[in-house]
PDB file of all heavy atoms in Angstrom:
ATOM      1  N   TYR A 122     -12.646   8.284   1.128  1.00 97.00           N
ATOM      2  CA  TYR A 122     -12.598   7.429   0.011  1.00 97.00           C
ATOM      3  C   TYR A 122     -12.361   8.162  -1.219  1.00 97.00           C
ATOM      4  O   TYR A 122     -11.384   7.803  -2.114  1.00 97.00           O
ATOM      5  CB  TYR A 122     -13.890   6.600  -0.097  1.00 97.00           C
ATOM      6  CG  TYR A 122     -13.953   5.755  -1.250  1.00 97.00           C
ATOM      7  CD1 TYR A 122     -13.355   4.470  -1.205  1.00 97.00           C
ATOM      8  CD2 TYR A 122     -14.526   6.146  -2.438  1.00 97.00           C
ATOM      9  CE1 TYR A 122     -13.378   3.553  -2.384  1.00 97.00           C
ATOM     10  CE2 TYR A 122     -14.575   5.260  -3.581  1.00 97.00           C
ATOM     11  CZ  TYR A 122     -13.938   4.028  -3.516  1.00 97.00           C
ATOM     12  OH  TYR A 122     -14.039   3.252  -4.595  1.00 97.00           O
ATOM     13  N   LEU A 123     -13.110   9.307  -1.442  1.00 96.00           N
ATOM     14  CA  LEU A 123     -12.925  10.114  -2.725  1.00 96.00           C
ATOM     15  C   LEU A 123     -11.649  10.790  -2.750  1.00 96.00           C
ATOM     16  O   LEU A 123     -10.991  10.919  -3.860  1.00 96.00           O
ATOM     17  CB  LEU A 123     -14.084  11.023  -2.871  1.00 96.00           C
ATOM     18  CG  LEU A 123     -15.449  10.379  -3.134  1.00 96.00           C
ATOM     19  CD1 LEU A 123     -16.506  11.436  -3.280  1.00 96.00           C
ATOM     20  CD2 LEU A 123     -15.467   9.557  -4.444  1.00 96.00           C
ATOM     21  N   TYR A 124     -11.147  11.281  -1.660  1.00 96.00           N
ATOM     22  CA  TYR A 124      -9.859  11.911  -1.648  1.00 96.00           C
ATOM     23  C   TYR A 124      -8.766  10.978  -2.119  1.00 96.00           C
ATOM     24  O   TYR A 124      -7.893  11.383  -2.803  1.00 96.00           O
ATOM     25  CB  TYR A 124      -9.469  12.401  -0.204  1.00 96.00           C
ATOM     26  CG  TYR A 124      -8.103  13.015  -0.141  1.00 96.00           C
ATOM     27  CD1 TYR A 124      -7.981  14.335  -0.543  1.00 96.00           C
ATOM     28  CD2 TYR A 124      -7.027  12.319   0.370  1.00 96.00           C
ATOM     29  CE1 TYR A 124      -6.618  14.916  -0.421  1.00 96.00           C
ATOM     30  CE2 TYR A 124      -5.779  12.952   0.463  1.00 96.00           C
ATOM     31  CZ  TYR A 124      -5.600  14.195   0.012  1.00 96.00           C
ATOM     32  OH  TYR A 124      -4.337  14.759   0.067  1.00 96.00           O
ATOM     33  N   LEU A 125      -8.811   9.739  -1.719  1.00 96.00           N
ATOM     34  CA  LEU A 125      -7.796   8.712  -2.024  1.00 96.00           C
ATOM     35  C   LEU A 125      -8.057   8.105  -3.473  1.00 96.00           C
ATOM     36  O   LEU A 125      -7.068   7.574  -3.992  1.00 96.00           O
ATOM     37  CB  LEU A 125      -7.779   7.612  -0.986  1.00 96.00           C
ATOM     38  CG  LEU A 125      -7.425   8.077   0.347  1.00 96.00           C
ATOM     39  CD1 LEU A 125      -7.545   6.918   1.409  1.00 96.00           C
ATOM     40  CD2 LEU A 125      -5.888   8.556   0.413  1.00 96.00           C
ATOM     41  N   SER A 126      -9.294   8.144  -3.919  1.00 94.00           N
ATOM     42  CA  SER A 126      -9.504   7.475  -5.167  1.00 94.00           C
ATOM     43  C   SER A 126      -9.906   8.339  -6.358  1.00 94.00           C
ATOM     44  O   SER A 126      -9.599   8.029  -7.537  1.00 94.00           O
ATOM     45  CB  SER A 126     -10.735   6.388  -4.997  1.00 94.00           C
ATOM     46  OG  SER A 126     -11.922   7.118  -4.685  1.00 94.00           O
ATOM     47  N   ASN A 127     -10.659   9.462  -6.082  1.00 94.00           N
ATOM     48  CA  ASN A 127     -11.142  10.318  -7.146  1.00 94.00           C
ATOM     49  C   ASN A 127     -11.267  11.757  -6.758  1.00 94.00           C
ATOM     50  O   ASN A 127     -12.369  12.231  -6.492  1.00 94.00           O
ATOM     51  CB  ASN A 127     -12.475   9.653  -7.594  1.00 94.00           C
ATOM     52  CG  ASN A 127     -13.071  10.350  -8.832  1.00 94.00           C
ATOM     53  OD1 ASN A 127     -12.623  11.400  -9.335  1.00 94.00           O
ATOM     54  ND2 ASN A 127     -14.072   9.741  -9.357  1.00 94.00           N
ATOM     55  N   PRO A 128     -10.173  12.475  -6.735  1.00 94.00           N
ATOM     56  CA  PRO A 128     -10.212  13.813  -6.237  1.00 94.00           C
ATOM     57  C   PRO A 128     -11.131  14.735  -7.026  1.00 94.00           C
ATOM     58  O   PRO A 128     -11.624  15.706  -6.484  1.00 94.00           O
ATOM     59  CB  PRO A 128      -8.755  14.264  -6.320  1.00 94.00           C
ATOM     60  CG  PRO A 128      -7.832  13.045  -6.292  1.00 94.00           C
ATOM     61  CD  PRO A 128      -8.776  12.007  -6.924  1.00 94.00           C
ATOM     62  N   GLY A 129     -11.267  14.463  -8.272  1.00 94.00           N
ATOM     63  CA  GLY A 129     -12.118  15.310  -9.118  1.00 94.00           C
ATOM     64  C   GLY A 129     -13.598  15.140  -8.653  1.00 94.00           C
ATOM     65  O   GLY A 129     -14.298  16.155  -8.541  1.00 94.00           O
ATOM     66  N   ARG A 130     -14.058  13.920  -8.394  1.00 96.00           N
ATOM     67  CA  ARG A 130     -15.447  13.661  -7.850  1.00 96.00           C
ATOM     68  C   ARG A 130     -15.539  14.353  -6.475  1.00 96.00           C
ATOM     69  O   ARG A 130     -16.511  14.879  -6.156  1.00 96.00           O
ATOM     70  CB  ARG A 130     -15.715  12.192  -7.818  1.00 96.00           C
ATOM     71  CG  ARG A 130     -17.086  11.843  -7.229  1.00 96.00           C
ATOM     72  CD  ARG A 130     -18.201  12.446  -8.095  1.00 96.00           C
ATOM     73  NE  ARG A 130     -19.492  11.973  -7.556  1.00 96.00           N
ATOM     74  CZ  ARG A 130     -20.571  12.685  -7.655  1.00 96.00           C
ATOM     75  NH1 ARG A 130     -20.599  13.772  -8.394  1.00 96.00           N
ATOM     76  NH2 ARG A 130     -21.705  12.153  -7.124  1.00 96.00           N
ATOM     77  N   LEU A 131     -14.519  14.237  -5.678  1.00 96.00           N
ATOM     78  CA  LEU A 131     -14.482  14.836  -4.354  1.00 96.00           C
ATOM     79  C   LEU A 131     -14.795  16.372  -4.461  1.00 96.00           C
ATOM     80  O   LEU A 131     -15.617  16.879  -3.765  1.00 96.00           O
ATOM     81  CB  LEU A 131     -13.085  14.720  -3.632  1.00 96.00           C
ATOM     82  CG  LEU A 131     -12.937  15.456  -2.344  1.00 96.00           C
ATOM     83  CD1 LEU A 131     -13.933  15.000  -1.377  1.00 96.00           C
ATOM     84  CD2 LEU A 131     -11.570  15.295  -1.869  1.00 96.00           C
ATOM     85  N   GLN A 132     -14.083  17.058  -5.380  1.00 95.00           N
ATOM     86  CA  GLN A 132     -14.271  18.464  -5.615  1.00 95.00           C
ATOM     87  C   GLN A 132     -15.683  18.803  -6.063  1.00 95.00           C
ATOM     88  O   GLN A 132     -16.351  19.697  -5.638  1.00 95.00           O
ATOM     89  CB  GLN A 132     -13.303  18.984  -6.610  1.00 95.00           C
ATOM     90  CG  GLN A 132     -11.890  19.078  -6.097  1.00 95.00           C
ATOM     91  CD  GLN A 132     -11.868  19.820  -4.813  1.00 95.00           C
ATOM     92  OE1 GLN A 132     -12.374  20.933  -4.552  1.00 95.00           O
ATOM     93  NE2 GLN A 132     -11.119  19.257  -3.803  1.00 95.00           N
ATOM     94  N   GLU A 133     -16.248  17.862  -6.965  1.00 96.00           N
ATOM     95  CA  GLU A 133     -17.635  18.096  -7.413  1.00 96.00           C
ATOM     96  C   GLU A 133     -18.607  18.005  -6.194  1.00 96.00           C
ATOM     97  O   GLU A 133     -19.520  18.880  -6.096  1.00 96.00           O
ATOM     98  CB  GLU A 133     -18.106  16.965  -8.369  1.00 96.00           C
ATOM     99  CG  GLU A 133     -17.422  17.035  -9.729  1.00 96.00           C
ATOM    100  CD  GLU A 133     -17.753  15.826 -10.562  1.00 96.00           C
ATOM    101  OE1 GLU A 133     -18.843  15.164 -10.323  1.00 96.00           O
ATOM    102  OE2 GLU A 133     -17.065  15.486 -11.524  1.00 96.00           O
ATOM    103  N   LEU A 134     -18.422  17.081  -5.350  1.00 96.00           N
ATOM    104  CA  LEU A 134     -19.398  16.893  -4.166  1.00 96.00           C
ATOM    105  C   LEU A 134     -19.181  17.999  -3.111  1.00 96.00           C
ATOM    106  O   LEU A 134     -20.129  18.555  -2.584  1.00 96.00           O
ATOM    107  CB  LEU A 134     -19.224  15.549  -3.497  1.00 96.00           C
ATOM    108  CG  LEU A 134     -19.755  14.437  -4.321  1.00 96.00           C
ATOM    109  CD1 LEU A 134     -19.614  13.076  -3.530  1.00 96.00           C
ATOM    110  CD2 LEU A 134     -21.200  14.585  -4.565  1.00 96.00           C
ATOM    111  N   LEU A 135     -17.926  18.484  -2.963  1.00 95.00           N
ATOM    112  CA  LEU A 135     -17.735  19.476  -2.041  1.00 95.00           C
ATOM    113  C   LEU A 135     -18.363  20.861  -2.532  1.00 95.00           C
ATOM    114  O   LEU A 135     -18.892  21.632  -1.818  1.00 95.00           O
ATOM    115  CB  LEU A 135     -16.195  19.828  -1.811  1.00 95.00           C
ATOM    116  CG  LEU A 135     -15.482  18.677  -1.061  1.00 95.00           C
ATOM    117  CD1 LEU A 135     -13.919  19.003  -1.059  1.00 95.00           C
ATOM    118  CD2 LEU A 135     -15.969  18.556   0.395  1.00 95.00           C
ATOM    119  N   ALA A 136     -18.367  21.075  -3.922  1.00 93.00           N
ATOM    120  CA  ALA A 136     -18.982  22.193  -4.415  1.00 93.00           C
ATOM    121  C   ALA A 136     -20.494  22.134  -4.325  1.00 93.00           C
ATOM    122  O   ALA A 136     -21.191  23.219  -4.310  1.00 93.00           O
ATOM    123  CB  ALA A 136     -18.602  22.269  -5.992  1.00 93.00           C
ATOM    124  N   GLN A 137     -21.070  20.973  -4.199  1.00 91.00           N
ATOM    125  CA  GLN A 137     -22.542  20.762  -4.059  1.00 91.00           C
ATOM    126  C   GLN A 137     -22.948  21.076  -2.627  1.00 91.00           C
ATOM    127  O   GLN A 137     -24.230  21.188  -2.391  1.00 91.00           O
ATOM    128  CB  GLN A 137     -22.958  19.314  -4.425  1.00 91.00           C
ATOM    129  CG  GLN A 137     -22.834  19.009  -5.791  1.00 91.00           C
ATOM    130  CD  GLN A 137     -23.877  19.714  -6.658  1.00 91.00           C
ATOM    131  OE1 GLN A 137     -24.930  20.051  -6.231  1.00 91.00           O
ATOM    132  NE2 GLN A 137     -23.466  20.052  -7.924  1.00 91.00           N
ATOM    133  N   MET A 138     -22.015  21.109  -1.714  1.00 89.00           N
ATOM    134  CA  MET A 138     -22.491  21.248  -0.298  1.00 89.00           C
ATOM    135  C   MET A 138     -23.068  22.647   0.001  1.00 89.00           C
ATOM    136  O   MET A 138     -22.675  23.571  -0.706  1.00 89.00           O
ATOM    137  CB  MET A 138     -21.230  21.002   0.621  1.00 89.00           C
ATOM    138  CG  MET A 138     -20.840  19.635   0.713  1.00 89.00           C
ATOM    139  SD  MET A 138     -19.568  19.325   1.960  1.00 89.00           S
ATOM    140  CE  MET A 138     -19.455  17.545   1.934  1.00 89.00           C
ATOM    141  N   GLN A 139     -24.081  22.569   0.827  1.00 71.00           N
ATOM    142  CA  GLN A 139     -24.818  23.677   1.129  1.00 71.00           C
ATOM    143  C   GLN A 139     -24.127  24.588   2.135  1.00 71.00           C
ATOM    144  O   GLN A 139     -23.489  24.078   3.078  1.00 71.00           O
ATOM    145  CB  GLN A 139     -26.283  23.410   1.671  1.00 71.00           C
ATOM    146  CG  GLN A 139     -27.062  22.554   0.718  1.00 71.00           C
ATOM    147  CD  GLN A 139     -27.431  23.322  -0.478  1.00 71.00           C
ATOM    148  OE1 GLN A 139     -27.832  24.487  -0.394  1.00 71.00           O
ATOM    149  NE2 GLN A 139     -27.214  22.682  -1.633  1.00 71.00           N
ATOM    150  N   PRO A 140     -24.207  25.927   2.094  1.00 68.00           N
ATOM    151  CA  PRO A 140     -23.768  26.817   3.136  1.00 68.00           C
ATOM    152  C   PRO A 140     -24.511  26.449   4.377  1.00 68.00           C
ATOM    153  O   PRO A 140     -25.696  25.973   4.353  1.00 68.00           O
ATOM    154  CB  PRO A 140     -24.169  28.194   2.699  1.00 68.00           C
ATOM    155  CG  PRO A 140     -24.380  28.114   1.227  1.00 68.00           C
ATOM    156  CD  PRO A 140     -24.833  26.765   0.935  1.00 68.00           C
ATOM    157  N   LEU A 141     -23.871  26.553   5.517  1.00 61.00           N
ATOM    158  CA  LEU A 141     -24.349  26.071   6.798  1.00 61.00           C
ATOM    159  C   LEU A 141     -25.784  26.768   7.151  1.00 61.00           C
ATOM    160  O   LEU A 141     -26.618  26.053   7.609  1.00 61.00           O
ATOM    161  CB  LEU A 141     -23.388  26.515   7.947  1.00 61.00           C
ATOM    162  CG  LEU A 141     -23.735  26.045   9.337  1.00 61.00           C
ATOM    163  CD1 LEU A 141     -23.880  24.545   9.394  1.00 61.00           C
ATOM    164  CD2 LEU A 141     -22.717  26.487  10.312  1.00 61.00           C
TER     165      LEU A 141
END
Side-chain angles (χ1 to χ4, degrees):
Y122 177 85
L123 291 175
Y124 177 80
L125 296 173
S126 67
N127 189 345
R130 178 62 176 154
L131 171 66
Q132 289 305 315
E133 288 175 23
L134 288 180
L135 290 174
Q137 291 290 328
M138 289 189 174
Q139 300 294 313
L141 183 61

